[in-house]
Every structure is written in structure tokens, then in C-alpha cells.
Amino acid sequence: MPSRINTEIRTRSVPQGVWMKCASCDEQLYRKEVERNLNVCPKCNHHMRIGARARLDYFLDPDSQEEIGSNLEPEDPLKFRDSKRYRDRVIQAQKKTGEKDALVAAKGTLKGRPVVVCAFEFGFMGGSMGSVVGERFCRGARCSIDTNAPLISFAASGGARMQEALFSLLQMAKTAAVLAEMSERKVPFVSVLTDPTTGGVSASLAMLGDINIAEPKALIGFAGPRVIEQTVGQKLPEGFQRSEFLLDHGAIDMIVDRRHLRREIAILLAKLEHRPAPAE
Amino acid sequence: MDLKFLEFEQPIAELEAKIDELRYVGNDPEININDEVARLKSKSEALTKSIFSKLSAWQIAQIARHPMRPYTADYLTQIAPDFQELHGDRMYADDHAIIGGIGRLDGRPVMFIGHQKGRDTKERVRRNYGMPKPEGYRKAQRLMKLAQKFSLPIVTFIDTPGAYPGLGAEERGQSEAIAYSLFLMAKLRTPIISVVIGEGGSGGALAIGVCDRLLMLQYGIYSVISPEGCASILWKSADKAQEAAEAMKITARSLNEFGLVDEVLPEPLGAAHRDPLAMGEVIRNALLKHLADLDRLSTDQLVEQRAQRLAGFGQYKEG
């Protein structure tokens, strides 16, 4: 269930060089400053898309990361080929991102509390979910259950990966099932929806948080805006399927600025787990 | 009966037209009409066999979407004659694209839930072409919880192009509705059997398709996105739907070979709509067989086996 949002736009809104331009306000920005600001525009607060590694680095305590399922690599069960072979697309994406697939899972600590984090890599075939993404997510969740460590996921995905067809679709059921197990064991799951989270990822793991949090102005939805426009034959209203729209319609618990995610989630988890408030 | 022959069935259509013609010719004593009709009939049958023995994935997709294909309600009338429909999600609306209720299968009460398409234009619109909105999935969730509470096994019939991509559906949380259905079904403490009777379209299909046994009619299809949708994204042209249908391996046979479908239910010659009653019998017998199998498990075993089944989905290298 891909959502047909455009996944081929450059995900690094950060071209090389000392200076860069904000894609939202067009302001000339000093790259170092933007990076220090977690890739949030210092002028307009636009949350730029970031990769899975940057996400883990921003979120977890320094030097606490231990990766889960890094030995898993995609296969091509269907021998899928469109204008290009799936195998070649994978190799290309691996070269471009330095990742084996579109999700990185890791153990680590958040203000001292052991947690597990799963972060999507949107630059890898639009963060699409195939067998490796599903399996890594589940191994992360398993680790959460086994060590009673809360799970935090950062979604950034166009949906299920077409090239693995039904295998991809079934990852929705697989990830939802492990979250059902987590829920029974009362291990907290915080789902963070970032720009964009659509299709089969939105319609499975990303909407199943005990707490659902979105970054500001992220595109979040089931169907992509273009598909909806084609179906209903009308232009979508301004702000449709953005975080603020979802908050208004009751789909998410809160919108949190990227620079406050560590603090907000740490405070929340401590309450859910009856621990004292984390140190600032 | 107007069988609405598909393009690749044209040779059969021509023969059948000839047979009809002969029947109307009446009683010319010079030719023995009965003999001629019988000859043409057996020829038509042989031709049908031959055409249906080598269908492409795209042709099968057309059969799965055939306007005369039996739908959920057609099978229910036959296999659960005292079916009572239960309506509504108790929150917002009654979605006509999903029907549900309790019927007796061979005497045993069963919760049936299925996508429902419409036969004529008015009915198609009322059923939203079998594309559910969040309220449809929430109705299904409610009925599944009811089934669990009263220990009724669940049978779902899958036949949808997909969940409806509309404004209202987004506003009311289409993603959450599908996600929560998957979450709920994973742990439901009652047996679930799903049957793909026509189109298994993406998350909208899977949302009532998390199960202990997945059965698929011979000419059903099941895929992550429609062939047209896949073609328009990957080939940049919806005209390449044929290629996309082949590439995605959407047919019952392929999916059975991948181990994703437990049993393929054979269709009558010329597909289910040529003989819906025979198809219904096949479905009934398959359901009874698999229910009997699942009855042998304790509820804990059942839920554990389902968990393992779900955890096992996927194919990857482990370096």
C-alpha cells in the first residue's frame, strides 16, 4: 500500500557547501548553524527532512547506540523489474544512503533510561517498507519487550514497497502484531510521525503508538494528496493532512518541535513508568 | 444469460452466440439441431478449458473484477441462509462497502464480515465500489470483538479495490482505522479464516485479512497496490498495468507458491460467475475443513500460532 506521494525528491535539503537555502522560507542559512539546530530552519522553524542516523544521533544519549538487525539485507523474492531491476534500485539506494535498507534500529539510552529506537531512512527508496524494514522493526520491538525498554519509532515513509508486493503488504500486519504483543506486556511505545508518513506505514505501526507525536507541519495521511485529488476531483484545502490538521481531527496526541523531542518524550516515559522526572 | 464475456474470451463468446442462434432456428427437420448444439457445446467447453489454462496475471485481474463475479452477499445467501446483518460502527455511520453479521455455517454460528460491491450503477455507488471508509473498518472491529466475546469463529471475504482515498476518510482517520484492525486481529481469541473471493486491494483488504488461514479463489488477486497504480508510479504510465500485474505476482497460484496463501480454491470452468452455486459449495467445504482444523487448537495455541505466522512474513538475507 504505497501512498503515491512523490518519493524521488531529494531528501537532503542540505546540498554541500558552507551556505544553504531553506526550502520553506528561501533564507540563506549557514549550514553549521542549521545542523546545530537539528536541521530546523533558525529563521522559520521549517523542519527539514533528516536521515535515520542523524535522527538516532539527535535523540539518543551520546555514545549509547548499539544497532539491532544490521546484518539483515533485502532479497528480491519476485525478481521484480520495471524500467529498472529491483536489485539495481536497492544497490543504488544503498550507495546513496550508506544503509542496507530503509530502517535503522538501535538500543541506546534517553537521559539515562534504556530505550529502543527505530528510525526510517526516507532517502532509501522513499523509506518504503519491505521485508527488511518490517523484520528490523520487529527485532527492535522484541528487544524492547525482552528488556522492558520503551520503543520509540520515527516514521518517514511513502508506504509499502511495491517491489516486494504482497511481502511488503504483510509487513503491516507483522509490525502491528508485535506492537499488540508489546501492548499486552505494557511496554510503552511512542510513535513519532515525521514528514512524510503515509500509506502502509501510516496505516500500521505509525498510528499505533500509546502516544502519537508529530513534528510540525509534517505530511501525514493514508492516501497521498495527489491520489485524493484525482479521486474526488477537487483541490485539497490548505494544510490538509498536515500535523496540525491531524491534531485538530483527533488523530495524534501532540505536536512537538524536533528540538524538544528528547525532553518531552523522556518526561512522558518517566510518568508512564512511574519513575521520577528525568534530570534536565 | 448474458455472460459479459471479456476480451480474451471472444472466441468462446462467438461459439456461444452460434449455439444460441441454433436454438432459435427452431425445428428444421433437415438438420439435427440437438446434435449440432451438443457438438458446439463440447467445442466451446474445450475452447474455454484451453483459454483458461493459460491466463495471464492481467487477464486473471479482469476476471477478479468481472461485473458478474459473485460477491460476499451472494455467497452468504447460499452458505449461511439465515444470515442476519448487523449494522454500524456505533460512532459515526454504517459503511455499505463492508457487510457483517452472524449466520450459521452447517448449523454452527459464525461471524461473517466481507467487502461488498454493487451489481448495478445505483448499487455500486451505494456500496462505494467496495471501498470502505474508516467507519467500515470500525464496524468490522466491533463485530470481531462481538465474535470474540461469544466465541464465534470469524470468516472474512475479501473483495475490494482498496480503502477509499477521500477527504472524509482522511479526516476520520483511515490510517488509524486500518492500523487498529491489524492490531486487533493479531490477538483476537477466536479463529479467523479469510477468503479472497475477488480483488484483494492493498491495506483495505488486509484490514479484514489478518487470519489463521488464508484461502484464495483460483482467479482472485491480492496485491500491495493495484496494477494500474503500480504502473503509474514505476512505469510512469497506467497503460503498463499488464506488466505491473505480472511483476507483482498477484495471482493465487503465485502467492500459494510463495507460501503466503494456504489453499487455492478451484473455480468452475470459465470462472466463478459461470456457476456460483458450485463455487459456493467449494467455499463452504473449505471453510468447514479449516474450521475443523483450527478447532483442534486451544485458544492459547491458536493465538500463539497466529503470532508466529505473522512474525514469519517476509523474505530477507541474514548476513
Side-chain angles (χ1 to χ4, degrees):
Chain A
M1 189 160 60
S3 62
R4 309 190 203 178
I5 60 162
N6 192 351
T7 51
E8 289 186 3
I9 41 177
R10 293 173 56 96
T11 50
R12 296 224 171 136
S13 48
V14 192
Q16 297 316 304
V18 180
W19 293 94
M20 59 175 291
K21 221 177 197 185
C22 172
S24 180
C25 69
D26 260 0
E27 197 73 34
Q28 285 287 337
L29 304 169
Y30 184 48
R31 176 182 307 282
K32 280 265 160 56
E33 192 193 345
V34 172
E35 280 167 9
R36 267 199 302 275
N37 208 33
L38 311 190
N39 282 297
V40 176
C41 172
K43 303 285 185 228
C44 74
N45 278 343
H46 171 60
H47 283 53
M48 302 170 189
R49 289 176 181 173
I50 57 173
R53 297 283 162 186
R55 186 59 82 172
L56 294 174
D57 292 345
Y58 291 167
F59 189 73
L60 288 169
D61 297 338
D63 304 318
S64 73
Q65 286 179 39
E66 195 183 316
E67 211 174 320
I68 299 167
S70 59
N71 56 334
L72 301 178
E73 289 187 42
E75 269 192 356
D76 181 13
L78 280 69
K79 311 266 174 288
F80 194 97
R81 168 177 206 145
D82 49 86
S83 54
K84 264 188 212 157
R85 292 193 305 174
Y86 174 42
R87 287 183 47 199
D88 294 337
R89 283 190 194 267
V90 165
I91 291 166
Q92 199 183 6
Q94 288 174 336
K95 277 192 187 140
K96 177 179 150 203
T97 59
E99 301 295 344
K100 292 281 183 222
D101 211 312
L103 182 120
V104 182
K107 288 194 277 196
T109 57
L110 171 65
K111 295 186 186 278
R113 167 69 174 129
V115 293
V116 176
V117 176
C118 292
F120 280 79
E121 174 61 57
F122 190 73
F124 193 107
M125 299 184 74
S128 57
M129 179 160 71
S131 297
V132 170
V133 169
E135 179 65 17
R136 279 192 185 162
F137 184 89
C138 288
R139 288 194 188 186
R142 278 265 141 234
C143 175
S144 267
I145 293 169
D146 294 343
T147 60
N148 195 30
L151 175 69
I152 300 103
S153 114
F154 291 91
S157 171
R161 187 173 297 168
M162 284 173 285
Q163 291 88 346
E164 291 181 32
L166 203 67
F167 287 100
S168 299
L169 186 72
L170 293 173
Q171 301 310 307
M172 294 171 63
K174 174 171 167 166
T175 55
V178 81
L179 291 173
E181 175 72 21
M182 266 189 89
S183 185
E184 278 190 354
R185 307 286 192 96
K186 299 189 176 12
V187 183
F189 170 46
V190 176
S191 173
V192 183
L193 298 97
T194 78
D195 186 57
T197 300
T198 56
V201 171
S202 160
S204 62
L205 62 100
M207 277 294 168
L208 291 174
D210 293 307
I211 311 285
N212 292 336
I213 297 176
E215 285 193 337
K217 298 198 174 113
L219 175 73
I220 301 164
F222 168 69
R226 257 194 315 141
V227 175
I228 301 175
E229 284 186 347
Q230 281 166 13
T231 307
V232 301
Q234 65 183 88
K235 269 266 176 235
L236 297 176
E238 179 72 24
F240 187 71
Q241 293 185 312
R242 296 285 162 183
S243 306
E244 297 71 17
F245 172 93
L246 270 87
L247 188 70
D248 273 352
H249 286 84
I252 55 173
D253 292 279
M254 54 211 283
I255 296 174
V256 177
D257 186 298
R258 184 177 295 161
R259 292 159 294 187
H260 302 146
L261 276 171
R262 261 175 66 83
R263 193 184 68 208
E264 291 288 333
I265 292 174
I267 290 172
L268 256 173
L269 288 176
K271 288 174 188 160
L272 294 179
E273 298 188 300
H274 297 271
R275 288 182 283 113
E280 272 300 310
Chain B
M1 181 167 63
D2 175 12
L3 285 169
K4 297 197 167 57
F5 286 102
L6 299 166
E7 211 180 309
F8 62 86
E9 294 178 296
Q10 276 320 305
I12 307 169
E14 281 162 25
L15 263 181
E16 291 291 328
K18 243 186 225 168
I19 294 169
D20 277 352
E21 238 168 68
L22 269 182
R23 284 197 182 116
Y24 290 121
V25 167
N27 314 319
D28 187 338
E30 293 298 306
I31 37 173
N32 188 335
I33 290 183
N34 286 342
D35 281 359
E36 183 63 5
V37 167
R39 194 184 67 80
L40 287 177
K41 272 220 161 297
S42 88
K43 199 174 164 194
S44 163
E45 205 179 298
L47 189 62
T48 308
K49 267 187 196 147
S50 141
I51 288 177
F52 275 73
S53 68
K54 39 181 191 264
L55 294 173
S56 70
W58 178 241
Q59 289 168 334
I60 289 174
Q62 289 171 289
I63 298 171
R65 299 166 174 174
H66 196 287
M68 297 198 50
R69 194 159 176 88
Y71 299 143
T72 296
D74 300 317
Y75 291 126
L76 287 179
T77 309
Q78 182 188 351
I79 69 175
D82 70 343
F83 174 77
Q84 292 167 297
E85 187 174 355
L86 304 173
H87 293 272
D89 68 349
R90 298 285 190 277
M91 290 191 251
Y92 179 75
D94 184 38
D95 189 336
H96 304 298
I98 288 188
I99 58 172
I102 309 171
R104 280 181 193 268
L105 181 71
D106 221 27
R108 176 183 189 174
V110 169
M111 181 66 80
F112 290 98
I113 298 169
H115 300 105
Q116 182 64 40
K117 295 178 174 177
R119 194 68 67 193
D120 57 31
T121 307
K122 197 176 145 204
E123 186 68 4
R124 280 188 199 124
V125 170
R126 191 168 94 88
R127 300 288 181 188
N128 200 28
Y129 303 86
M131 293 188 283
K133 297 172 184 168
E135 46 273 25
Y137 296 113
R138 289 177 183 137
K139 168 167 70 177
Q141 291 162 15
R142 184 177 74 81
L143 297 181
M144 287 178 197
K145 286 180 185 166
L146 188 66
Q148 173 174 256
K149 182 171 172 182
F150 293 103
S151 302
L152 310 176
I154 297 169
V155 169
T156 70
F157 290 126
I158 294 172
D159 190 16
T160 180
Y164 184 63
L167 272 77
E170 293 288 330
E171 284 171 349
R172 296 192 293 280
Q174 187 75 286
S175 287
E176 191 277 344
I178 294 172
Y180 185 71
S181 294
L182 308 176
F183 183 89
L184 175 71
M185 294 181 90
K187 287 280 181 186
L188 217 54
R189 297 182 64 77
T190 193
I192 311 171
I193 300 176
S194 296
V195 190
V196 181
I197 58 171
E199 263 184 294
S202 192
L206 183 65
I208 59 165
V210 178
C211 57
D212 301 299
R213 291 282 192 283
L214 179 61
L215 317 181
M216 207 166 155
L217 302 202
Q218 187 179 1
Y219 304 124
I221 58 169
Y222 197 3
S223 64
V224 68
I225 183 171
S226 69
E228 292 89 341
C230 178
S232 76
I233 299 175
L234 291 181
W235 279 264
K236 315 277 179 218
S237 153
D239 299 342
K240 301 285 185 189
Q242 296 198 24
E243 279 97 321
E246 291 296 338
M248 287 197 294
K249 308 273 195 286
I250 60 176
T251 65
R253 202 168 117 190
S254 299
L255 297 172
N256 183 241
E257 281 167 6
F258 283 128
L260 300 176
V261 166
D262 298 294
E263 188 179 349
V264 179
L265 306 183
E267 299 200 18
L269 182 63
H273 62 281
R274 295 279 203 106
D275 193 347
L277 290 181
M279 191 71 250
E281 270 311 297
V282 171
I283 294 174
R284 182 214 307 272
N285 291 331
L287 290 176
L288 288 172
K289 180 183 78 179
H290 287 285
L291 273 180
D293 271 0
L294 295 171
D295 281 343
R296 280 196 274 274
L297 303 173
S298 72
T299 305
D300 285 342
Q301 286 172 330
L302 178 80
V303 175
E304 176 54 30
Q305 278 197 8
R306 193 185 308 140
Q308 284 175 11
R309 174 190 177 92
L310 291 164
F313 286 143
Q315 210 166 302
Y316 45 80
K317 271 190 288 231
E318 187 144 22

